[in-house]
Amino acid sequence: VEVPVTKKSFVAIIILEGEAKMSLGSQGVDAKAGETYFVPAQDASLRFEGNCIFLRVSVPNAKLEID
């Protein structure tokens, strides 16, 4: 499974059940239930190989204004 990541928002991945190899480019981790990962905003794709259920969280139209 591939999950898109864009420059518009970070992505948080929460592994709810199971385990999988999660890769972003040449970097990868063995992700398992109970773990959470933060991916900074960028144009890329997260790739999952294995058997897991995960929650993807992002803010697609995030805009920060600081006065």
Side-chain angles (χ1 to χ4, degrees):
V1 173
E2 288 196 17
V3 175
V5 181
T6 69
K7 289 182 179 179
K8 293 181 181 181
S9 176
F10 69 88
V11 173
I13 300 289
I14 304 164
I15 309 297
L16 302 174
E17 292 181 16
E19 55 187 52
K21 173 83 171 185
M22 185 174 71
S23 309
L24 181 68
S26 62
Q27 297 181 339
V29 296
D30 293 322
K32 57 187 174 207
E35 296 178 341
T36 301
Y37 297 90
F38 181 84
V39 181
Q42 58 188 292
D43 285 329
S45 289
L46 279 171
R47 182 171 184 80
F48 290 84
E49 295 178 22
N51 188 14
C52 74
I53 297 174
F54 62 87
L55 175 64
R56 174 187 181 269
V57 179
S58 65
V59 183
N61 296 314
K63 183 176 180 182
L64 178 63
E65 294 183 23
I66 300 174
D67 293 328

